[in-house]
Amino acid sequence: MDKTPNILIADDYHQMRLAVQHVLNGMELHNLHAASQGLEAKHILESVPIQLVIADWNMPGMTGYELLCWCRNDGHYRDVPFILLTAESGREFLGKAIEAGVSDYLVKPFTAATLRARIVKLLGKSVVPAQTVLPKATLKPLPMPMPLPAETPVLGLDAPSEERLSRASVLVVDDVATNIEVIAGILKSEYAIKVAISGRKALEIANGPNPPDLILLDVMMPEMDGNEVCRQLKANPATRDIPVIFLTARDQADDVVDGLDLGAVDYVVKPAQPAILKARIRTHLRLSQARRDLTRQNQVLSDNARLRDDIERITHHDLKNPISAIAHTAELMLLDSDWPNAQRERLELLEGAARHALDMVTLSLTLYKIEQGQFQAETTRLALGKLLDTVVQEIKVQFAWKPVDIVLDRPLEQNALAEAALCRSIFANLLKNAVEAAADDSVVRIALTRVGGECLVEVMNQGAVPTSIRPRFFDKYVTHGKSGGTGLGTYSAKLLTEAQGGHIDLICDDTQDSTQVFVYLPAAD
């Protein structure tokens, strides 16, 4: 019987789901369940006891972040490891994820080795290294709903802040055993208590494998007093960030100043009132936790910034050539009919991912050149109707979860002087925006007509663009009410349209609560 954990992979990008699936299979993890959008992932979680969730942040219907929040508010999944995959590296994204209780946060692109290492860390078990030939995963159909186990194990989760506080440990240092007993009695119901009856023992515990989260330190002790203990703690990089609260009968102003100068965060005079002592401990644990979170965020942001700089430099240099070579090599290999099915699937995955990456690199470079005034469109005769047919079918698949009907009206084929790749990006972005904004059970219409010497594509949806952003609708980074929205879709549509000698307009009808976007491109005849 297979006892490996049930793992959920949620990503609206098919190639990414397959890539993660192959990594997991190389680790001998085969109980995999796949979802192409958040609501489907939620349904799986309600039907199958999942032990690890790997989800993309930006998914239609319900984002990975919203799925994370749902899990952390559900009794069964409050402590289940959750890895968010995202292309976003901003501080606000990372901060939101940490606050929501994410277990790990990987910024795309990441390596298979990185993903394997994070999974091993979260599952807390040894797994088989990646193999040269990976077995095919079986993405299981949804079974009938079944109850989840009454006790779901905690698997190394970075818990929300209040829960982490309740798990904190406090080291009480005092050479008088009765003093330790009193303090431990006050705190033991809220924290894990460690004790030391000498300064040397306190340093030994602080430098051990499980250092305390906070130290309550007596000042007057034989051999090594509290001041010297604090001085050594703060001089050691491994222990300097542990908050120290002096707990002592010495209450002179000079004593307090000396203690704070040594790096202590607070000074409590004996006999300490339990309520005051608890309040101060909790405050400094919160501050320490916030500092650790901030340090973690800064480290991730620093790593991400370096990664983004490297990617941008490589992309703008010449990434197209090696990606083209990968796609072409995979295509040539697929011409050999002797490949086993498993290897053929991987080659098709490789070719599809390379082609998609090439399209994205090409679009990125095109937008960059347009912004720099260095782009010249290479237009040809293009059958817009056929291209729109393809885009509509792709958007229907992508938004199969949403009850919106997409209707294409093109009574006669119209030929434009345009670039197919640029037009594909324009209409995919505009149609995606229209479907996202449309009300449930409404219709999104795309009409293709001829107006004088121009081809006109009209995209119409129910729901008017908010008046506050209408004047800036096609500006860069303008978005409204869309979780994970970048504000680049309509901006790129405008740039790509104008680069081909066309123009784009927006009309909103508040009385009909509707939005229409008009794209004009030069006609070919």
Side-chain angles (χ1 to χ4, degrees):
M1 180 179 178
D2 190 352
K3 296 184 179 180
T4 58
N6 285 313
I7 299 176
L8 172 60
I9 307 166
D11 199 304
D12 59 335
Y13 183 35
H14 179 64
Q15 276 86 357
M16 180 57 71
R17 292 199 304 274
L18 289 179
V20 173
Q21 164 192 323
H22 290 164
V23 171
L24 293 169
N25 270 258
M27 301 168 70
E28 295 295 335
L29 298 171
H30 303 297
N31 287 332
L32 309 181
H33 306 262
S36 61
Q37 46 96 2
L39 291 176
E40 182 185 359
K42 178 174 175 286
H43 180 59
I44 294 175
L45 288 164
E46 292 171 334
S47 305
V48 182
I50 297 294
Q51 282 79 48
L52 171 66
V53 181
I54 303 174
D56 183 40
W57 186 303
N58 289 318
M59 293 188 292
M62 183 183 197
T63 67
Y65 171 75
E66 292 168 339
L67 184 66
L68 168 64
C69 293
W70 178 85
C71 286
R72 294 305 179 237
N73 287 305
D74 181 88
H76 298 302
Y77 291 108
R78 184 172 295 116
D79 296 323
V80 169
F82 196 115
I83 300 176
L84 265 179
L85 311 178
T86 178
E88 303 294 344
S89 62
R91 182 188 299 273
E92 67 277 11
F93 290 96
L94 180 58
K96 283 178 63 177
I98 291 175
E99 184 62 28
V102 73
S103 306
D104 216 322
Y105 186 93
L106 287 178
V107 178
K108 301 175 184 177
F110 51 84
T111 65
T114 299
L115 179 59
R116 284 196 297 270
R118 303 295 177 86
I119 292 171
V120 169
K121 177 182 177 182
L122 289 173
L123 293 183
K125 58 184 286 187
S126 299
V127 292
V128 177
Q131 303 168 355
T132 302
V133 179
L134 301 179
K136 181 180 177 182
T138 300
L139 293 180
K140 302 181 179 180
L142 294 179
M144 293 299 292
M146 59 181 290
L148 292 170
E151 295 184 4
T152 304
V154 177
L155 300 175
L157 172 72
D158 281 343
S161 57
E162 290 304 314
E163 187 176 349
R164 279 189 278 167
L165 285 180
S166 68
R167 299 178 184 176
S169 61
V170 175
L171 172 61
V172 182
V173 186
D174 199 306
D175 62 318
V176 180
T178 54
N179 290 342
I180 291 179
E181 290 177 5
V182 171
I183 299 301
I186 293 173
L187 302 178
K188 66 181 181 181
S189 63
E190 298 182 30
Y191 306 105
I193 303 300
K194 303 171 185 271
V195 299
I197 59 173
S198 71
R200 297 195 183 281
K201 183 62 177 178
L203 292 172
E204 179 184 328
I205 294 174
N207 284 283
N210 297 300
D213 295 295
L214 183 142
I215 298 175
L216 280 176
L217 180 60
D218 185 29
V219 174
M220 295 180 291
M221 294 186 296
E223 296 184 16
M224 181 185 292
D225 66 12
N227 288 338
E228 180 58 27
V229 173
C230 186
R231 187 177 292 109
Q232 292 194 29
L233 287 170
K234 298 307 172 182
N236 186 347
T239 58
R240 65 187 176 196
D241 292 328
I242 302 175
V244 175
I245 298 178
F246 277 127
L247 184 61
T248 179
R250 297 171 64 172
D251 59 354
Q252 297 300 309
D254 289 345
D255 296 325
V256 175
V257 172
D258 290 343
L260 296 177
D261 284 344
L262 288 170
V265 297
D266 211 337
Y267 203 99
V268 178
V269 177
K270 295 178 181 177
Q273 303 219 0
I276 294 176
L277 180 61
K278 287 183 177 182
R280 293 191 175 185
I281 289 174
R282 196 164 191 81
T283 295
H284 290 296
L285 283 173
R286 281 201 186 100
L287 291 172
S288 176
Q289 174 183 295
R291 282 194 295 270
R292 287 196 300 271
D293 287 346
L294 184 59
T295 299
R296 176 184 172 190
Q297 289 183 36
N298 288 337
Q299 182 59 52
V300 172
L301 289 173
S302 176
D303 292 343
N304 292 343
R306 287 195 297 271
L307 180 61
R308 285 293 179 90
D309 289 343
D310 289 344
I311 291 172
E312 185 174 359
R313 184 175 62 254
I314 294 170
T315 298
H316 289 163
H317 181 254
D318 199 0
L319 192 56
K320 294 177 68 175
N321 287 340
I323 295 178
S324 297
I326 293 170
H328 184 60
T329 301
E331 183 180 11
L332 290 175
M333 294 176 72
L334 283 168
L335 295 176
D336 186 347
S337 60
D338 295 332
W339 288 107
N341 288 339
Q343 278 68 32
R344 180 167 292 276
E345 287 180 5
R346 287 174 179 79
L347 284 172
E348 290 172 349
L349 169 63
L350 178 64
E351 184 194 19
R355 296 291 181 195
H356 191 211
L358 190 59
D359 289 343
M360 290 190 292
V361 169
T362 300
L363 178 60
S364 172
L365 292 173
T366 298
L367 292 175
Y368 177 78
K369 289 178 180 178
I370 293 173
E371 290 178 325
Q372 300 300 313
Q374 301 170 354
F375 179 76
Q376 182 65 45
E378 297 180 2
T379 59
T380 58
R381 185 185 179 91
L382 175 64
L384 277 182
K386 292 180 180 179
L387 183 140
L388 289 172
D389 275 332
T390 301
V391 172
V392 167
Q393 293 308 313
E394 291 176 351
I395 297 297
K396 281 184 176 180
V397 172
Q398 184 178 349
F399 287 89
W401 57 273
K402 186 166 184 176
V404 171
D405 194 14
I406 304 175
V407 177
L408 173 60
D409 179 17
R410 59 179 190 98
L412 295 174
E413 181 61 272
Q414 301 294 334
N415 298 309
L417 282 175
E419 285 193 33
L422 303 190
C423 288
R424 188 187 188 95
S425 176
I426 291 169
F427 298 120
N429 274 319
L430 294 179
L431 189 52
K432 178 176 179 287
N433 282 351
V435 174
E436 287 177 337
D440 287 353
D441 301 316
S442 65
V443 177
V444 173
R445 296 186 182 278
I446 308 95
L448 173 60
T449 56
R450 176 76 173 265
V451 179
E454 295 178 308
C455 296
L456 168 61
V457 179
E458 182 181 358
V459 181
M460 301 161 282
N461 66 271
Q462 204 68 30
V465 173
T467 56
S468 60
I469 67 168
R470 288 179 196 175
R472 302 176 292 116
F473 184 72
F474 294 107
D475 289 353
K476 197 172 187 178
Y477 305 130
V478 173
T479 186
H480 179 84
K482 289 193 338 186
S483 177
T486 62
L488 294 176
T490 53
Y491 171 74
S492 67
K494 180 177 185 292
L495 261 61
L496 296 178
T497 300
E498 293 175 347
Q500 299 175 90
H503 56 103
I504 189 169
D505 293 314
L506 168 73
I507 293 180
C508 294
D509 188 335
D510 291 318
T511 60
Q512 299 294 322
D513 189 29
S514 64
T515 295
Q516 296 170 279
V517 177
F518 301 91
V519 179
Y520 298 86
L521 292 168
D525 51 11

